[in-house]
Amino acid sequence: MSKKYVIVGASGQLGRALCVMFPDAKALSREELDISDEAQIDAFDWSKYDVIINAAALVNADGSETDDLRAKTWLANAYGPRNLAKIAIEQNKTLVHYSSDYVWDGREKNHQDDEVVAPLLVYGESKAAGDLVVSLVPKHYIMRVSWVVGDGHNMPKTMKKLADMRINPKVVNDQFGRLTFASEIARATKYFLDNNVAYGLYNVTNEGPVKSWYEIAADVFEYAGHDRNRVQPISTEEYAASKPGFAPRPLNSDMDLSKLRRAGFTPRDYTDMLKALH
């Protein structure tokens, strides 16, 4: 008997990629089901579904530090997962949830799946809280992702636009990681569910060289047929000085992917996928 899936947060970058991967799933946007509203969660009929895929999140690193968004960030990223976890525990559902490199302070390189969290900012704190709640669900997958590129506003798209507009950007050269394409996260999700991979927390990013945002921006310029030297390196400290309200970021976001590979999933190199955008 095939499993029935419900995707919440279906209108975001990751949600849209998941809808492509699971065309038969029930897809719900935040307007259709707000997971931070416990009354809405309790009123929804979960009995038809075996798997809840939670792509809902409030992703605004700088905004989460403000009075306007601090509480909303906690509602979306911690209270929402708590509400879903409660349903999953009570009704014996599988819960798939997505975490972030922002749960770490970034002092370590090659982050391990079980590294203790130490977030630097409200967004990271709220994501860490959500992860801990979801980890209490007997049947859970937590996929920790970084530097997500999907259908919507993303860094490569911005850099391509700047290149075409003859603008020479300054990009931080001391934050390191790998891009994670939303389509690849969706592919990993399908692999985990189709193959009954052992429940737990996994680092899930694309494979490929660990680079700074500056190096990736220069690559985008080059792949788009522009001079990569037009991109200028700048330190996070210098960049933050010109941006009031700039929240701290982990300097190292690269993850160890050996547990993911042991599960039988081979992540694609983001380099080829980045080239394919142009």
Side-chain angles (χ1 to χ4, degrees):
M1 199 176 79
S2 64
K3 293 176 187 163
K4 296 278 195 294
Y5 303 101
V6 57
I7 300 167
V8 294
S11 57
Q13 287 196 54
L14 177 54
R16 289 199 288 275
L18 287 163
C19 289
V20 171
M21 192 58 69
F22 297 95
D24 298 329
K26 173 79 171 171
L28 298 166
S29 68
R30 183 173 173 272
E31 288 70 35
E32 292 166 307
L33 184 71
D34 181 354
I35 65 165
S36 66
D37 185 335
E38 200 169 359
Q40 286 188 38
I41 293 293
D42 289 342
F44 186 79
D45 181 8
W46 299 97
S47 63
K48 304 177 186 135
Y49 309 103
D50 308 295
V51 181
I52 303 167
I53 303 177
N54 177 31
L58 202 164
V59 184
N60 185 336
D62 298 336
S64 71
E65 302 290 312
T66 65
D67 293 342
D68 281 353
L69 282 187
R70 188 177 286 113
K72 286 178 180 159
T73 301
W74 273 92
L75 274 170
N77 299 340
Y79 284 82
R82 178 205 62 176
N83 296 337
L84 295 175
K86 183 167 160 278
I87 294 293
I89 293 167
E90 287 171 357
Q91 300 190 28
N92 191 31
K93 310 292 185 195
T94 299
L95 178 56
V96 183
H97 179 72
Y98 303 94
S99 179
S100 163
D101 54 308
Y102 278 54
V103 300
W104 294 310
D105 60 16
R107 289 186 300 172
E108 299 288 330
K109 294 181 177 177
N110 200 35
H111 293 287
Q112 302 300 305
D113 307 73
D114 59 358
E115 184 185 323
V116 173
V117 298
L120 298 170
L121 68 169
V122 170
Y123 169 67
E125 289 168 357
S126 67
K127 290 298 290 181
D131 295 355
L132 290 171
V133 175
V134 171
S135 71
L136 298 174
V137 177
K139 301 195 305 198
H140 75 270
Y141 293 117
I142 299 171
M143 298 188 175
R144 196 155 273 160
V145 304
S146 68
W147 297 17
V148 177
V149 177
D151 170 23
H153 175 72
N154 62 60
M155 184 267 199
K157 197 182 281 183
T158 302
M159 289 301 137
K160 166 81 166 64
K161 200 179 285 180
L162 295 178
D164 293 342
M165 289 166 66
R166 298 278 176 260
I167 294 169
N168 301 339
K170 291 179 177 174
V171 182
V172 293
N173 66 348
D174 54 0
Q175 292 176 31
F176 297 91
R178 294 188 189 95
L179 297 180
T180 314
F181 280 78
S183 57
E184 194 69 348
I185 302 168
R187 191 172 76 87
T189 303
K190 188 167 190 337
Y191 176 87
F192 274 49
L193 292 167
D194 286 354
N195 293 281
N196 297 318
V197 169
Y199 296 117
L201 187 153
Y202 294 80
N203 289 339
V204 179
T205 74
N206 277 79
E207 186 51 272
V210 175
K211 291 189 176 184
S212 70
W213 281 120
Y214 157 71
E215 291 170 293
I216 290 170
D219 289 344
V220 170
F221 268 62
E222 186 177 309
Y223 301 153
H226 296 277
D227 179 3
R228 63 183 294 122
N229 294 318
R230 284 174 50 200
V231 182
Q232 297 158 48
I234 187 174
S235 72
T236 298
E237 198 178 343
E238 287 174 282
Y239 182 80
S242 65
K243 295 265 181 188
F246 183 80
R249 266 89 166 152
L251 294 183
N252 293 296
S253 292
D254 55 308
M255 303 185 195
D256 185 290
L257 300 175
S258 48
K259 186 179 177 185
L260 181 65
R261 286 197 208 90
R262 283 198 304 275
F265 184 81
T266 305
R268 294 180 181 137
D269 190 312
Y270 70 81
T271 312
D272 301 328
M273 298 178 78
L274 191 61
K275 283 178 182 168
L277 290 177
H278 304 290

